[in-house]
Amino acid sequence: MDIASKNLKKLQTEKSFVDIFTDLFNESFYGFIRQFNDHFLLLEHYNDDGLFNGIVVFKREDITRIKWANNDLTSVYKIINKHDQEKNIESLKIDSIEAILKSVNKAFKHVNLHIQNIDNGMCIIGEIEEMDAESIVIKEFGTRSTLDRGRILFAMEDITRIDAGGLYENGLLKVHKKKN
């Protein structure tokens, strides 16, 4: 087993609170490693205030650094909140991009797909309408101000990160449900 996988397994088994960096996209994420394989890593995500902020699935090739056991992480860990998403997180499959998308959409009733190689801040939040190995169609949840429900088609290979169940996404879902 390589050093990276050995340490990921240790961090997962010991339930260590970590900080994952994707320097290409200038991002950092706190949380617990819940699953990983050669291609993907699933993080139970918490924000800087220790609030549960859903899940993040990374392509392992985009992860540049992982920190653990420092003062900053220890401080945030002490204020972590409880959440009720354990069953949803356990049900997620990370065998392939298609399995991730299907299981996340089923568990959380939405996906937040990041397209960072095209635009670092680009993400699409919505429900999967259809997909195959090359393409995906999403019925978008527009912003809170527009509440637009348009559809968008794009290439699966452009997806750089998959999130769901976060504070923003859940707020957006509530606003959209009130509209209906």
PDB file of all heavy atoms in Angstrom, residues 29-65:
ATOM      1  N   PHE A  29     -10.996  22.311   2.949  1.00  0.00           N
ATOM      2  CA  PHE A  29     -12.222  21.751   3.499  1.00  0.00           C
ATOM      3  C   PHE A  29     -11.918  20.975   4.773  1.00  0.00           C
ATOM      4  O   PHE A  29     -11.071  20.085   4.772  1.00  0.00           O
ATOM      5  CB  PHE A  29     -12.881  20.789   2.497  1.00  0.00           C
ATOM      6  CG  PHE A  29     -13.259  21.448   1.209  1.00  0.00           C
ATOM      7  CD1 PHE A  29     -12.349  21.549   0.174  1.00  0.00           C
ATOM      8  CD2 PHE A  29     -14.532  21.969   1.034  1.00  0.00           C
ATOM      9  CE1 PHE A  29     -12.686  22.150  -1.017  1.00  0.00           C
ATOM     10  CE2 PHE A  29     -14.885  22.564  -0.160  1.00  0.00           C
ATOM     11  CZ  PHE A  29     -13.958  22.666  -1.189  1.00  0.00           C
ATOM     12  N   TYR A  30     -12.641  21.275   5.849  1.00  0.00           N
ATOM     13  CA  TYR A  30     -12.534  20.532   7.104  1.00  0.00           C
ATOM     14  C   TYR A  30     -13.488  19.346   7.089  1.00  0.00           C
ATOM     15  O   TYR A  30     -14.584  19.443   6.529  1.00  0.00           O
ATOM     16  CB  TYR A  30     -12.950  21.397   8.291  1.00  0.00           C
ATOM     17  CG  TYR A  30     -12.043  22.537   8.641  1.00  0.00           C
ATOM     18  CD1 TYR A  30     -12.581  23.758   9.036  1.00  0.00           C
ATOM     19  CD2 TYR A  30     -10.663  22.412   8.628  1.00  0.00           C
ATOM     20  CE1 TYR A  30     -11.772  24.814   9.401  1.00  0.00           C
ATOM     21  CE2 TYR A  30      -9.842  23.470   8.987  1.00  0.00           C
ATOM     22  CZ  TYR A  30     -10.408  24.666   9.378  1.00  0.00           C
ATOM     23  OH  TYR A  30      -9.605  25.713   9.735  1.00  0.00           O
ATOM     24  N   GLY A  31     -13.112  18.268   7.761  1.00  0.00           N
ATOM     25  CA  GLY A  31     -14.059  17.172   7.908  1.00  0.00           C
ATOM     26  C   GLY A  31     -13.407  15.852   8.243  1.00  0.00           C
ATOM     27  O   GLY A  31     -12.247  15.781   8.660  1.00  0.00           O
ATOM     28  N   PHE A  32     -14.199  14.804   8.044  1.00  0.00           N
ATOM     29  CA  PHE A  32     -13.791  13.439   8.323  1.00  0.00           C
ATOM     30  C   PHE A  32     -13.806  12.640   7.025  1.00  0.00           C
ATOM     31  O   PHE A  32     -14.794  12.692   6.286  1.00  0.00           O
ATOM     32  CB  PHE A  32     -14.743  12.767   9.317  1.00  0.00           C
ATOM     33  CG  PHE A  32     -14.790  13.442  10.653  1.00  0.00           C
ATOM     34  CD1 PHE A  32     -15.792  14.359  10.950  1.00  0.00           C
ATOM     35  CD2 PHE A  32     -13.828  13.172  11.617  1.00  0.00           C
ATOM     36  CE1 PHE A  32     -15.835  14.987  12.180  1.00  0.00           C
ATOM     37  CE2 PHE A  32     -13.865  13.791  12.857  1.00  0.00           C
ATOM     38  CZ  PHE A  32     -14.870  14.708  13.139  1.00  0.00           C
ATOM     39  N   ILE A  33     -12.734  11.909   6.774  1.00  0.00           N
ATOM     40  CA  ILE A  33     -12.684  11.043   5.595  1.00  0.00           C
ATOM     41  C   ILE A  33     -13.597   9.854   5.863  1.00  0.00           C
ATOM     42  O   ILE A  33     -13.398   9.114   6.816  1.00  0.00           O
ATOM     43  CB  ILE A  33     -11.245  10.574   5.318  1.00  0.00           C
ATOM     44  CG1 ILE A  33     -10.371  11.784   4.995  1.00  0.00           C
ATOM     45  CG2 ILE A  33     -11.223   9.539   4.185  1.00  0.00           C
ATOM     46  CD1 ILE A  33      -8.882  11.496   4.973  1.00  0.00           C
ATOM     47  N   ARG A  34     -14.614   9.683   5.033  1.00  0.00           N
ATOM     48  CA  ARG A  34     -15.576   8.600   5.226  1.00  0.00           C
ATOM     49  C   ARG A  34     -15.323   7.426   4.295  1.00  0.00           C
ATOM     50  O   ARG A  34     -15.560   6.289   4.652  1.00  0.00           O
ATOM     51  CB  ARG A  34     -16.999   9.130   5.041  1.00  0.00           C
ATOM     52  CG  ARG A  34     -17.395  10.171   6.068  1.00  0.00           C
ATOM     53  CD  ARG A  34     -17.385   9.612   7.496  1.00  0.00           C
ATOM     54  NE  ARG A  34     -18.298   8.511   7.644  1.00  0.00           N
ATOM     55  CZ  ARG A  34     -19.584   8.637   7.955  1.00  0.00           C
ATOM     56  NH1 ARG A  34     -20.108   9.799   8.197  1.00  0.00           N
ATOM     57  NH2 ARG A  34     -20.337   7.568   8.037  1.00  0.00           N
ATOM     58  N   GLN A  35     -14.881   7.696   3.071  1.00  0.00           N
ATOM     59  CA  GLN A  35     -14.569   6.647   2.093  1.00  0.00           C
ATOM     60  C   GLN A  35     -13.482   7.189   1.168  1.00  0.00           C
ATOM     61  O   GLN A  35     -13.387   8.392   0.960  1.00  0.00           O
ATOM     62  CB  GLN A  35     -15.767   6.303   1.216  1.00  0.00           C
ATOM     63  CG  GLN A  35     -16.955   5.690   1.877  1.00  0.00           C
ATOM     64  CD  GLN A  35     -18.032   5.387   0.834  1.00  0.00           C
ATOM     65  OE1 GLN A  35     -17.764   4.781  -0.206  1.00  0.00           O
ATOM     66  NE2 GLN A  35     -19.244   5.828   1.087  1.00  0.00           N
ATOM     67  N   PHE A  36     -12.731   6.273   0.588  1.00  0.00           N
ATOM     68  CA  PHE A  36     -11.807   6.651  -0.465  1.00  0.00           C
ATOM     69  C   PHE A  36     -11.459   5.406  -1.269  1.00  0.00           C
ATOM     70  O   PHE A  36     -11.621   4.276  -0.818  1.00  0.00           O
ATOM     71  CB  PHE A  36     -10.540   7.327   0.092  1.00  0.00           C
ATOM     72  CG  PHE A  36      -9.611   6.397   0.815  1.00  0.00           C
ATOM     73  CD1 PHE A  36      -8.558   5.778   0.156  1.00  0.00           C
ATOM     74  CD2 PHE A  36      -9.792   6.133   2.165  1.00  0.00           C
ATOM     75  CE1 PHE A  36      -7.712   4.912   0.820  1.00  0.00           C
ATOM     76  CE2 PHE A  36      -8.948   5.274   2.847  1.00  0.00           C
ATOM     77  CZ  PHE A  36      -7.903   4.662   2.172  1.00  0.00           C
ATOM     78  N   ASN A  37     -11.009   5.638  -2.478  1.00  0.00           N
ATOM     79  CA  ASN A  37     -10.446   4.589  -3.323  1.00  0.00           C
ATOM     80  C   ASN A  37      -9.340   5.233  -4.158  1.00  0.00           C
ATOM     81  O   ASN A  37      -8.921   6.354  -3.849  1.00  0.00           O
ATOM     82  CB  ASN A  37     -11.526   3.895  -4.175  1.00  0.00           C
ATOM     83  CG  ASN A  37     -12.287   4.846  -5.068  1.00  0.00           C
ATOM     84  OD1 ASN A  37     -11.752   5.833  -5.576  1.00  0.00           O
ATOM     85  ND2 ASN A  37     -13.566   4.560  -5.288  1.00  0.00           N
ATOM     86  N   ASP A  38      -8.880   4.585  -5.187  1.00  0.00           N
ATOM     87  CA  ASP A  38      -7.778   5.132  -5.986  1.00  0.00           C
ATOM     88  C   ASP A  38      -8.138   6.429  -6.708  1.00  0.00           C
ATOM     89  O   ASP A  38      -7.257   7.210  -7.062  1.00  0.00           O
ATOM     90  CB  ASP A  38      -7.302   4.110  -7.026  1.00  0.00           C
ATOM     91  CG  ASP A  38      -6.580   2.939  -6.397  1.00  0.00           C
ATOM     92  OD1 ASP A  38      -6.134   3.054  -5.230  1.00  0.00           O
ATOM     93  OD2 ASP A  38      -6.455   1.892  -7.066  1.00  0.00           O
ATOM     94  N   HIS A  39      -9.426   6.663  -6.918  1.00  0.00           N
ATOM     95  CA  HIS A  39      -9.849   7.805  -7.732  1.00  0.00           C
ATOM     96  C   HIS A  39     -10.597   8.893  -6.980  1.00  0.00           C
ATOM     97  O   HIS A  39     -10.556  10.062  -7.393  1.00  0.00           O
ATOM     98  CB  HIS A  39     -10.709   7.321  -8.905  1.00  0.00           C
ATOM     99  CG  HIS A  39     -10.024   6.286  -9.738  1.00  0.00           C
ATOM    100  ND1 HIS A  39      -9.006   6.589 -10.611  1.00  0.00           N
ATOM    101  CD2 HIS A  39     -10.187   4.953  -9.813  1.00  0.00           C
ATOM    102  CE1 HIS A  39      -8.568   5.493 -11.185  1.00  0.00           C
ATOM    103  NE2 HIS A  39      -9.275   4.473 -10.720  1.00  0.00           N
ATOM    104  N   PHE A  40     -11.314   8.539  -5.909  1.00  0.00           N
ATOM    105  CA  PHE A  40     -12.184   9.496  -5.228  1.00  0.00           C
ATOM    106  C   PHE A  40     -11.991   9.453  -3.715  1.00  0.00           C
ATOM    107  O   PHE A  40     -11.547   8.446  -3.172  1.00  0.00           O
ATOM    108  CB  PHE A  40     -13.657   9.197  -5.546  1.00  0.00           C
ATOM    109  CG  PHE A  40     -13.971   9.236  -7.011  1.00  0.00           C
ATOM    110  CD1 PHE A  40     -14.140   8.054  -7.732  1.00  0.00           C
ATOM    111  CD2 PHE A  40     -14.088  10.442  -7.685  1.00  0.00           C
ATOM    112  CE1 PHE A  40     -14.420   8.080  -9.086  1.00  0.00           C
ATOM    113  CE2 PHE A  40     -14.370  10.468  -9.047  1.00  0.00           C
ATOM    114  CZ  PHE A  40     -14.530   9.288  -9.743  1.00  0.00           C
ATOM    115  N   LEU A  41     -12.381  10.566  -3.063  1.00  0.00           N
ATOM    116  CA  LEU A  41     -12.380  10.646  -1.607  1.00  0.00           C
ATOM    117  C   LEU A  41     -13.655  11.348  -1.183  1.00  0.00           C
ATOM    118  O   LEU A  41     -13.986  12.411  -1.721  1.00  0.00           O
ATOM    119  CB  LEU A  41     -11.154  11.414  -1.113  1.00  0.00           C
ATOM    120  CG  LEU A  41     -11.004  11.502   0.399  1.00  0.00           C
ATOM    121  CD1 LEU A  41      -9.540  11.386   0.787  1.00  0.00           C
ATOM    122  CD2 LEU A  41     -11.601  12.775   0.959  1.00  0.00           C
ATOM    123  N   LEU A  42     -14.371  10.748  -0.222  1.00  0.00           N
ATOM    124  CA  LEU A  42     -15.619  11.301   0.307  1.00  0.00           C
ATOM    125  C   LEU A  42     -15.344  11.891   1.678  1.00  0.00           C
ATOM    126  O   LEU A  42     -14.879  11.192   2.584  1.00  0.00           O
ATOM    127  CB  LEU A  42     -16.690  10.208   0.403  1.00  0.00           C
ATOM    128  CG  LEU A  42     -17.982  10.543   1.146  1.00  0.00           C
ATOM    129  CD1 LEU A  42     -18.744  11.662   0.462  1.00  0.00           C
ATOM    130  CD2 LEU A  42     -18.848   9.313   1.258  1.00  0.00           C
ATOM    131  N   LEU A  43     -15.639  13.174   1.832  1.00  0.00           N
ATOM    132  CA  LEU A  43     -15.424  13.896   3.082  1.00  0.00           C
ATOM    133  C   LEU A  43     -16.761  14.287   3.697  1.00  0.00           C
ATOM    134  O   LEU A  43     -17.609  14.863   3.007  1.00  0.00           O
ATOM    135  CB  LEU A  43     -14.604  15.163   2.814  1.00  0.00           C
ATOM    136  CG  LEU A  43     -14.188  15.971   4.038  1.00  0.00           C
ATOM    137  CD1 LEU A  43     -13.034  15.270   4.764  1.00  0.00           C
ATOM    138  CD2 LEU A  43     -13.748  17.377   3.622  1.00  0.00           C
ATOM    139  N   GLU A  44     -16.951  13.993   4.983  1.00  0.00           N
ATOM    140  CA  GLU A  44     -18.057  14.545   5.766  1.00  0.00           C
ATOM    141  C   GLU A  44     -17.592  15.943   6.143  1.00  0.00           C
ATOM    142  O   GLU A  44     -16.659  16.112   6.925  1.00  0.00           O
ATOM    143  CB  GLU A  44     -18.289  13.688   6.997  1.00  0.00           C
ATOM    144  CG  GLU A  44     -19.390  14.158   7.905  1.00  0.00           C
ATOM    145  CD  GLU A  44     -19.536  13.251   9.117  1.00  0.00           C
ATOM    146  OE1 GLU A  44     -19.281  12.029   9.018  1.00  0.00           O
ATOM    147  OE2 GLU A  44     -19.912  13.768  10.175  1.00  0.00           O
ATOM    148  N   HIS A  45     -18.206  16.958   5.579  1.00  0.00           N
ATOM    149  CA  HIS A  45     -17.678  18.329   5.598  1.00  0.00           C
ATOM    150  C   HIS A  45     -18.270  19.180   6.723  1.00  0.00           C
ATOM    151  O   HIS A  45     -19.468  19.109   6.992  1.00  0.00           O
ATOM    152  CB  HIS A  45     -17.978  18.973   4.234  1.00  0.00           C
ATOM    153  CG  HIS A  45     -17.503  20.369   4.091  1.00  0.00           C
ATOM    154  ND1 HIS A  45     -18.287  21.341   3.542  1.00  0.00           N
ATOM    155  CD2 HIS A  45     -16.337  20.967   4.408  1.00  0.00           C
ATOM    156  CE1 HIS A  45     -17.618  22.479   3.523  1.00  0.00           C
ATOM    157  NE2 HIS A  45     -16.432  22.274   4.041  1.00  0.00           N
ATOM    158  N   TYR A  46     -17.405  19.989   7.333  1.00  0.00           N
ATOM    159  CA  TYR A  46     -17.797  20.964   8.360  1.00  0.00           C
ATOM    160  C   TYR A  46     -17.194  22.310   7.995  1.00  0.00           C
ATOM    161  O   TYR A  46     -16.077  22.386   7.498  1.00  0.00           O
ATOM    162  CB  TYR A  46     -17.283  20.528   9.744  1.00  0.00           C
ATOM    163  CG  TYR A  46     -17.986  19.299  10.239  1.00  0.00           C
ATOM    164  CD1 TYR A  46     -17.584  18.031   9.833  1.00  0.00           C
ATOM    165  CD2 TYR A  46     -19.094  19.402  11.072  1.00  0.00           C
ATOM    166  CE1 TYR A  46     -18.252  16.907  10.251  1.00  0.00           C
ATOM    167  CE2 TYR A  46     -19.769  18.271  11.498  1.00  0.00           C
ATOM    168  CZ  TYR A  46     -19.341  17.025  11.082  1.00  0.00           C
ATOM    169  OH  TYR A  46     -20.017  15.913  11.487  1.00  0.00           O
ATOM    170  N   ASN A  47     -17.939  23.386   8.270  1.00  0.00           N
ATOM    171  CA  ASN A  47     -17.398  24.708   7.960  1.00  0.00           C
ATOM    172  C   ASN A  47     -16.502  25.188   9.105  1.00  0.00           C
ATOM    173  O   ASN A  47     -16.300  24.482  10.093  1.00  0.00           O
ATOM    174  CB  ASN A  47     -18.510  25.702   7.608  1.00  0.00           C
ATOM    175  CG  ASN A  47     -19.395  26.073   8.780  1.00  0.00           C
ATOM    176  OD1 ASN A  47     -19.085  25.820   9.944  1.00  0.00           O
ATOM    177  ND2 ASN A  47     -20.517  26.694   8.479  1.00  0.00           N
ATOM    178  N   ASP A  48     -15.982  26.399   8.980  1.00  0.00           N
ATOM    179  CA  ASP A  48     -15.053  26.951   9.972  1.00  0.00           C
ATOM    180  C   ASP A  48     -15.674  27.108  11.357  1.00  0.00           C
ATOM    181  O   ASP A  48     -14.957  27.199  12.347  1.00  0.00           O
ATOM    182  CB  ASP A  48     -14.537  28.326   9.519  1.00  0.00           C
ATOM    183  CG  ASP A  48     -13.722  28.261   8.249  1.00  0.00           C
ATOM    184  OD1 ASP A  48     -13.342  27.154   7.839  1.00  0.00           O
ATOM    185  OD2 ASP A  48     -13.454  29.324   7.663  1.00  0.00           O
ATOM    186  N   ASP A  49     -17.000  27.183  11.417  1.00  0.00           N
ATOM    187  CA  ASP A  49     -17.700  27.326  12.690  1.00  0.00           C
ATOM    188  C   ASP A  49     -18.097  25.980  13.289  1.00  0.00           C
ATOM    189  O   ASP A  49     -18.832  25.930  14.280  1.00  0.00           O
ATOM    190  CB  ASP A  49     -18.962  28.185  12.515  1.00  0.00           C
ATOM    191  CG  ASP A  49     -18.632  29.604  12.095  1.00  0.00           C
ATOM    192  OD1 ASP A  49     -17.631  30.155  12.614  1.00  0.00           O
ATOM    193  OD2 ASP A  49     -19.362  30.163  11.255  1.00  0.00           O
ATOM    194  N   GLY A  50     -17.666  24.890  12.684  1.00  0.00           N
ATOM    195  CA  GLY A  50     -17.974  23.557  13.189  1.00  0.00           C
ATOM    196  C   GLY A  50     -19.356  23.063  12.828  1.00  0.00           C
ATOM    197  O   GLY A  50     -19.829  22.061  13.360  1.00  0.00           O
ATOM    198  N   LEU A  51     -20.028  23.747  11.902  1.00  0.00           N
ATOM    199  CA  LEU A  51     -21.372  23.335  11.485  1.00  0.00           C
ATOM    200  C   LEU A  51     -21.266  22.295  10.363  1.00  0.00           C
ATOM    201  O   LEU A  51     -20.473  22.464   9.424  1.00  0.00           O
ATOM    202  CB  LEU A  51     -22.179  24.530  10.984  1.00  0.00           C
ATOM    203  CG  LEU A  51     -22.461  25.620  12.008  1.00  0.00           C
ATOM    204  CD1 LEU A  51     -23.125  26.810  11.336  1.00  0.00           C
ATOM    205  CD2 LEU A  51     -23.316  25.083  13.145  1.00  0.00           C
ATOM    206  N   PHE A  52     -22.072  21.246  10.449  1.00  0.00           N
ATOM    207  CA  PHE A  52     -22.117  20.240   9.387  1.00  0.00           C
ATOM    208  C   PHE A  52     -22.508  20.923   8.097  1.00  0.00           C
ATOM    209  O   PHE A  52     -23.487  21.670   8.039  1.00  0.00           O
ATOM    210  CB  PHE A  52     -23.124  19.139   9.748  1.00  0.00           C
ATOM    211  CG  PHE A  52     -23.308  18.122   8.667  1.00  0.00           C
ATOM    212  CD1 PHE A  52     -22.281  17.244   8.337  1.00  0.00           C
ATOM    213  CD2 PHE A  52     -24.500  18.028   7.977  1.00  0.00           C
ATOM    214  CE1 PHE A  52     -22.442  16.299   7.327  1.00  0.00           C
ATOM    215  CE2 PHE A  52     -24.677  17.086   6.974  1.00  0.00           C
ATOM    216  CZ  PHE A  52     -23.633  16.224   6.655  1.00  0.00           C
ATOM    217  N   ASN A  53     -21.744  20.679   7.044  1.00  0.00           N
ATOM    218  CA  ASN A  53     -21.975  21.342   5.766  1.00  0.00           C
ATOM    219  C   ASN A  53     -22.042  20.333   4.625  1.00  0.00           C
ATOM    220  O   ASN A  53     -21.520  20.557   3.540  1.00  0.00           O
ATOM    221  CB  ASN A  53     -20.884  22.387   5.523  1.00  0.00           C
ATOM    222  CG  ASN A  53     -21.297  23.433   4.513  1.00  0.00           C
ATOM    223  OD1 ASN A  53     -22.475  23.623   4.237  1.00  0.00           O
ATOM    224  ND2 ASN A  53     -20.328  24.118   3.946  1.00  0.00           N
ATOM    225  N   GLY A  54     -22.648  19.165   4.907  1.00  0.00           N
ATOM    226  CA  GLY A  54     -22.877  18.182   3.865  1.00  0.00           C
ATOM    227  C   GLY A  54     -21.665  17.316   3.580  1.00  0.00           C
ATOM    228  O   GLY A  54     -20.828  17.072   4.447  1.00  0.00           O
ATOM    229  N   ILE A  55     -21.604  16.868   2.352  1.00  0.00           N
ATOM    230  CA  ILE A  55     -20.504  15.999   1.919  1.00  0.00           C
ATOM    231  C   ILE A  55     -19.808  16.631   0.730  1.00  0.00           C
ATOM    232  O   ILE A  55     -20.399  17.441  -0.008  1.00  0.00           O
ATOM    233  CB  ILE A  55     -20.986  14.568   1.568  1.00  0.00           C
ATOM    234  CG1 ILE A  55     -22.053  14.570   0.442  1.00  0.00           C
ATOM    235  CG2 ILE A  55     -21.527  13.874   2.808  1.00  0.00           C
ATOM    236  CD1 ILE A  55     -21.513  14.274  -0.904  1.00  0.00           C
ATOM    237  N   VAL A  56     -18.553  16.249   0.559  1.00  0.00           N
ATOM    238  CA  VAL A  56     -17.775  16.669  -0.605  1.00  0.00           C
ATOM    239  C   VAL A  56     -17.091  15.423  -1.143  1.00  0.00           C
ATOM    240  O   VAL A  56     -16.479  14.674  -0.383  1.00  0.00           O
ATOM    241  CB  VAL A  56     -16.706  17.719  -0.231  1.00  0.00           C
ATOM    242  CG1 VAL A  56     -15.906  18.124  -1.463  1.00  0.00           C
ATOM    243  CG2 VAL A  56     -17.336  18.933   0.430  1.00  0.00           C
ATOM    244  N   VAL A  57     -17.214  15.197  -2.446  1.00  0.00           N
ATOM    245  CA  VAL A  57     -16.495  14.111  -3.099  1.00  0.00           C
ATOM    246  C   VAL A  57     -15.468  14.744  -4.024  1.00  0.00           C
ATOM    247  O   VAL A  57     -15.816  15.509  -4.923  1.00  0.00           O
ATOM    248  CB  VAL A  57     -17.429  13.172  -3.890  1.00  0.00           C
ATOM    249  CG1 VAL A  57     -16.616  12.045  -4.528  1.00  0.00           C
ATOM    250  CG2 VAL A  57     -18.526  12.609  -2.994  1.00  0.00           C
ATOM    251  N   PHE A  58     -14.211  14.434  -3.760  1.00  0.00           N
ATOM    252  CA  PHE A  58     -13.089  14.954  -4.537  1.00  0.00           C
ATOM    253  C   PHE A  58     -12.571  13.892  -5.483  1.00  0.00           C
ATOM    254  O   PHE A  58     -12.622  12.701  -5.182  1.00  0.00           O
ATOM    255  CB  PHE A  58     -11.897  15.283  -3.616  1.00  0.00           C
ATOM    256  CG  PHE A  58     -12.167  16.278  -2.552  1.00  0.00           C
ATOM    257  CD1 PHE A  58     -12.535  15.862  -1.283  1.00  0.00           C
ATOM    258  CD2 PHE A  58     -12.027  17.629  -2.798  1.00  0.00           C
ATOM    259  CE1 PHE A  58     -12.762  16.776  -0.279  1.00  0.00           C
ATOM    260  CE2 PHE A  58     -12.248  18.549  -1.797  1.00  0.00           C
ATOM    261  CZ  PHE A  58     -12.622  18.122  -0.533  1.00  0.00           C
ATOM    262  N   LYS A  59     -11.986  14.347  -6.575  1.00  0.00           N
ATOM    263  CA  LYS A  59     -11.106  13.484  -7.356  1.00  0.00           C
ATOM    264  C   LYS A  59      -9.778  13.505  -6.605  1.00  0.00           C
ATOM    265  O   LYS A  59      -9.258  14.583  -6.284  1.00  0.00           O
ATOM    266  CB  LYS A  59     -10.920  14.023  -8.776  1.00  0.00           C
ATOM    267  CG  LYS A  59     -12.153  13.903  -9.631  1.00  0.00           C
ATOM    268  CD  LYS A  59     -11.859  14.431 -11.023  1.00  0.00           C
ATOM    269  CE  LYS A  59     -13.052  14.230 -11.931  1.00  0.00           C
ATOM    270  NZ  LYS A  59     -12.814  14.791 -13.272  1.00  0.00           N
ATOM    271  N   ARG A  60      -9.234  12.359  -6.294  1.00  0.00           N
ATOM    272  CA  ARG A  60      -7.991  12.323  -5.523  1.00  0.00           C
ATOM    273  C   ARG A  60      -6.857  13.064  -6.220  1.00  0.00           C
ATOM    274  O   ARG A  60      -6.016  13.664  -5.563  1.00  0.00           O
ATOM    275  CB  ARG A  60      -7.577  10.883  -5.214  1.00  0.00           C
ATOM    276  CG  ARG A  60      -8.324  10.350  -4.004  1.00  0.00           C
ATOM    277  CD  ARG A  60      -7.813   9.085  -3.444  1.00  0.00           C
ATOM    278  NE  ARG A  60      -6.401   9.075  -3.096  1.00  0.00           N
ATOM    279  CZ  ARG A  60      -5.750   7.976  -2.755  1.00  0.00           C
ATOM    280  NH1 ARG A  60      -6.381   6.815  -2.701  1.00  0.00           N
ATOM    281  NH2 ARG A  60      -4.471   8.022  -2.452  1.00  0.00           N
ATOM    282  N   GLU A  61      -6.866  13.066  -7.535  1.00  0.00           N
ATOM    283  CA  GLU A  61      -5.799  13.759  -8.265  1.00  0.00           C
ATOM    284  C   GLU A  61      -5.807  15.262  -8.017  1.00  0.00           C
ATOM    285  O   GLU A  61      -4.788  15.939  -8.223  1.00  0.00           O
ATOM    286  CB  GLU A  61      -5.909  13.475  -9.764  1.00  0.00           C
ATOM    287  CG  GLU A  61      -7.158  14.052 -10.390  1.00  0.00           C
ATOM    288  CD  GLU A  61      -7.438  13.535 -11.789  1.00  0.00           C
ATOM    289  OE1 GLU A  61      -7.191  12.360 -12.064  1.00  0.00           O
ATOM    290  OE2 GLU A  61      -7.914  14.345 -12.613  1.00  0.00           O
ATOM    291  N   ASP A  62      -6.943  15.831  -7.561  1.00  0.00           N
ATOM    292  CA  ASP A  62      -7.041  17.265  -7.284  1.00  0.00           C
ATOM    293  C   ASP A  62      -6.593  17.631  -5.866  1.00  0.00           C
ATOM    294  O   ASP A  62      -6.390  18.807  -5.568  1.00  0.00           O
ATOM    295  CB  ASP A  62      -8.474  17.759  -7.506  1.00  0.00           C
ATOM    296  CG  ASP A  62      -8.876  17.721  -8.969  1.00  0.00           C
ATOM    297  OD1 ASP A  62      -7.984  17.801  -9.842  1.00  0.00           O
ATOM    298  OD2 ASP A  62     -10.086  17.602  -9.235  1.00  0.00           O
ATOM    299  N   ILE A  63      -6.473  16.644  -4.991  1.00  0.00           N
ATOM    300  CA  ILE A  63      -6.064  16.903  -3.605  1.00  0.00           C
ATOM    301  C   ILE A  63      -4.549  17.068  -3.575  1.00  0.00           C
ATOM    302  O   ILE A  63      -3.812  16.190  -4.008  1.00  0.00           O
ATOM    303  CB  ILE A  63      -6.502  15.753  -2.681  1.00  0.00           C
ATOM    304  CG1 ILE A  63      -8.034  15.655  -2.646  1.00  0.00           C
ATOM    305  CG2 ILE A  63      -5.934  15.952  -1.269  1.00  0.00           C
ATOM    306  CD1 ILE A  63      -8.551  14.424  -1.924  1.00  0.00           C
ATOM    307  N   THR A  64      -4.097  18.219  -3.061  1.00  0.00           N
ATOM    308  CA  THR A  64      -2.658  18.489  -3.028  1.00  0.00           C
ATOM    309  C   THR A  64      -2.057  18.274  -1.644  1.00  0.00           C
ATOM    310  O   THR A  64      -0.876  17.936  -1.541  1.00  0.00           O
ATOM    311  CB  THR A  64      -2.359  19.921  -3.486  1.00  0.00           C
ATOM    312  OG1 THR A  64      -3.183  20.829  -2.754  1.00  0.00           O
ATOM    313  CG2 THR A  64      -2.635  20.069  -4.975  1.00  0.00           C
ATOM    314  N   ARG A  65      -2.843  18.496  -0.585  1.00  0.00           N
ATOM    315  CA  ARG A  65      -2.336  18.337   0.777  1.00  0.00           C
ATOM    316  C   ARG A  65      -3.478  17.937   1.698  1.00  0.00           C
ATOM    317  O   ARG A  65      -4.628  18.292   1.442  1.00  0.00           O
ATOM    318  CB  ARG A  65      -1.780  19.657   1.320  1.00  0.00           C
ATOM    319  CG  ARG A  65      -0.599  20.192   0.616  1.00  0.00           C
ATOM    320  CD  ARG A  65      -0.175  21.551   1.164  1.00  0.00           C
ATOM    321  NE  ARG A  65      -1.060  22.583   0.636  1.00  0.00           N
ATOM    322  CZ  ARG A  65      -1.486  23.643   1.302  1.00  0.00           C
ATOM    323  NH1 ARG A  65      -1.123  23.829   2.546  1.00  0.00           N
ATOM    324  NH2 ARG A  65      -2.266  24.544   0.733  1.00  0.00           N
TER     325      ARG A  65
END
